[in-house]
């Protein structure tokens, strides 16, 4: 009698689970892995070597025209842990853009915010809503969400730089919008200093007055280009003042002191030759790029050798640190502003 009762109950339970599935529902008591003691990212520690990035980008420049490349000739970094998605981490898109001598990448705009970090070379420039921004090694150029931008290379040599976008975040929120722009907005000449630099680039603590509340609370930095000379001076001064083995600066919005973008934090770290940086964990992922020097990066249980032009990805909560063989400068982008805005950011020294 008991066996019959249990058999009947099992049959009814099977019927329940069938009906639950048919209704596109799932029973929580049968699910596992939703709440974990620590993050379990799909992003894996990875490094893209400069030789591969620059060599394959140059070959693409020879074989693939701008039009054939979909108006931008870029090789996207595809993290092996993300199942073939063209993303460097689960929250950031990164890739190497190649612009040949005399080429122009036409204007467009989109909701994902983008930045350009020049690892080597000069001569190209980016036009952002009509403002020409000269590009050279070590410069950070911003193209905030829904600003029209185009790239020009009037020089005789090709130009390459690293692009980083918050595309995975915006796509996950179903908020991607894209528009093509008109023909060249600013002719074919770059100004020595952009309007954004002349207005907002006077130096720390020096910002123009007379702007209304809405302008002061803009989500992104009004300064659209940050020059290597300024970051180099700040890092050198910090090392001299502290006597430490490393220095770190954050690129900020001169109006508010906040991050340059509401979704991306940009930083530069310098480690003295023969020294090691602090090792930390942080919630959220990171994309790094070597501007100068050699050494290695620790990401979780992995150690990768580093040389100028290398790009790497660090998953959320993985231990992260640098060791310098030669004086080492590393630029990095993280999704920290998003986590901070949601009250989810945490960091810990290892």
């Amino acid at each position: 009698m008991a066996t019959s009762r249990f058999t009947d109950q099992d049959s009814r339970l099977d019927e329940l689970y069938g009906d639950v599935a048919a209704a596109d529902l799932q029973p929580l008591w049968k699910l596992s892995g939703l709440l974990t003691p620590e993050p379990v990212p799909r992003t894996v520690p990875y490094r893209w070597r400069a030789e591969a990035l620059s060599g394959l980008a140059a070959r693409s420049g020879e074989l693939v025209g701008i039009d054939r490349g979909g108006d931008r000739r870029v090789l996207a970094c595809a993290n092996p842990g993300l199942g073939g998605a063209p993303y460097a981490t689960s929250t950031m898109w990164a890739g190497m853009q190649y612009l040949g001598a005399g080429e122009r990448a036409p204007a467009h705009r989109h909701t994902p915010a983008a930045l350009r970090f020049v690892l080597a070379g000069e001569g190209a420039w980016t036009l952002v809503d009509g403002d020409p921004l000269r590009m050279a090694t070590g410069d950070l150029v911003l193209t905030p969400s829904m600003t029209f931008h185009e790239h020009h290379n009037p020089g005789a040599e090709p130009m390459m730089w690293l692009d980083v976008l918050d595309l995975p975040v915006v796509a996950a929120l179903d908020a991607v919008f894209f528009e093509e722009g008109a023909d060249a907005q600013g002719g074919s000449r770059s100004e020595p200093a952009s309007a954004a630099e002349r207005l907002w680039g006077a130096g720390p603590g020096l910002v123009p007055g007379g702007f209304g509340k809405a302008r002061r609370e803009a989500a992104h930095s009004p300064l659209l280009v940050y020059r290597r000379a300024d970051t180099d001076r700040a890092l050198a001064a910090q090392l001299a003042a502290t006597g430490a083995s490393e220095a770190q600066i954050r690129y900020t919005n001169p109006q508010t002191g906040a991050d340059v973008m509401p979704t991306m934090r940009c930083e530069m770290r310098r480690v003295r030759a023969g020294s090691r940086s602090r090792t930390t964990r942080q919630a959220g992922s990171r994309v790094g790029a070597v501007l100068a020097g050699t050494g290695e990066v620790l990401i979780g249980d992995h150690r990768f050798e580093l040389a100028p032009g290398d790009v790497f990805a660090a998953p959320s909560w993985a231990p992260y640190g640098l060791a310098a063989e030669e004086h080492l400068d590393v630029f990095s982008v993280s999704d920290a502003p998003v986590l901070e805005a949601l009250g989810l950011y945490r960091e810990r020294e290892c």
Side-chain angles (χ1 to χ4, degrees):
M1 193 72 174
T3 300
S4 176
R5 184 168 62 252
F6 286 129
T7 300
D8 180 60
Q9 185 174 358
D10 289 343
S11 176
R12 292 169 58 198
L13 193 58
D14 289 341
E15 183 178 0
L16 169 65
Y17 288 144
D19 291 342
V20 166
D24 294 313
L25 299 170
Q26 295 186 34
L28 177 60
W29 58 90
K30 295 197 70 174
L31 302 178
S32 62
L34 294 180
L35 298 173
T36 58
E38 294 183 350
V40 184
R42 293 191 301 129
T43 300
V44 298
Y46 201 73
R47 176 207 53 199
W48 294 266
R49 297 307 307 246
E51 306 93 274
L53 290 168
S54 59
L56 293 171
R59 286 171 59 188
S60 300
E62 295 173 0
L63 299 173
V64 180
I66 288 290
D67 292 338
R68 193 174 179 183
D71 92 8
R72 297 289 191 271
R73 189 192 294 108
V74 184
L75 294 177
C77 296
N79 190 288
L82 300 180
Y87 299 152
T89 77
S90 57
T91 59
M92 285 180 286
W93 187 101
M96 188 64 66
Q97 183 162 175
Y98 183 98
L99 195 64
E103 287 188 327
R104 177 179 74 89
H108 66 210
R109 67 177 181 175
H110 37 69
T111 45
L115 60 86
R116 330 286 167 189
F117 188 76
V118 185
L119 291 167
E122 59 182 312
W125 52 283
T126 290
L127 201 70
V128 180
D129 279 346
D131 193 11
L133 309 170
R134 175 176 50 84
M135 303 173 74
T137 302
D139 290 347
L140 170 64
V141 176
L142 308 181
T143 52
S145 175
M146 290 308 284
T147 55
F148 278 111
H149 53 281
E150 59 188 84
H151 309 299
H152 295 245
N153 184 5
E157 298 295 328
M159 186 81 174
M160 287 181 281
W161 60 83
L162 177 70
D163 289 337
V164 182
L165 286 77
D166 58 5
L167 175 58
V169 172
V170 180
L173 296 171
D174 291 331
V176 174
F177 292 87
F178 172 88
E179 297 177 18
E180 293 183 352
D183 289 338
Q185 304 170 41
S188 59
R189 180 175 62 88
S190 172
E191 299 294 334
S194 66
E197 288 177 270
R198 294 195 300 270
L199 190 58
W200 294 100
L206 302 173
V207 297
F211 289 88
K213 185 173 186 292
R215 180 67 181 269
R216 288 198 305 271
E217 294 181 352
H220 62 79
S221 173
L223 179 60
L224 299 177
V225 59
Y226 295 75
R227 298 295 179 193
R228 181 183 189 179
D230 297 323
T231 58
D232 185 71
R233 184 167 51 250
L235 290 166
Q238 188 179 142
L239 285 177
T242 64
S245 61
E246 65 170 317
Q248 184 171 333
I249 60 169
R250 182 188 300 181
Y251 298 80
T252 62
N253 180 333
Q255 291 175 301
T256 64
D259 288 292
V260 293
M261 301 277 206
T263 52
M264 292 187 283
R265 173 164 296 165
C266 299
E267 298 172 302
M268 181 76 80
R269 180 180 281 188
R270 173 171 293 174
V271 184
R272 294 184 192 269
S275 300
R276 292 183 176 273
S277 74
R278 295 174 303 120
T279 299
T280 58
R281 296 173 181 258
Q282 73 172 52
S285 60
R286 181 189 303 269
V287 171
V290 181
L291 176 61
T294 59
E296 65 176 15
V297 59
L298 164 71
I299 309 174
D301 295 329
H302 296 73
R303 289 186 181 274
F304 299 106
E305 292 183 352
L306 293 179
D310 287 353
V311 175
F312 61 83
S316 179
W317 209 238
Y320 165 70
L322 299 168
E325 180 181 353
E326 301 173 340
H327 165 108
L328 185 64
D329 284 353
V330 174
F331 171 79
S332 70
V333 187
S334 75
D335 50 18
V338 177
L339 279 80
E340 287 181 342
L342 298 173
L344 299 175
Y345 184 79
R346 62 174 62 190
E347 182 177 338
R348 179 185 303 165
E349 190 161 344
C350 298

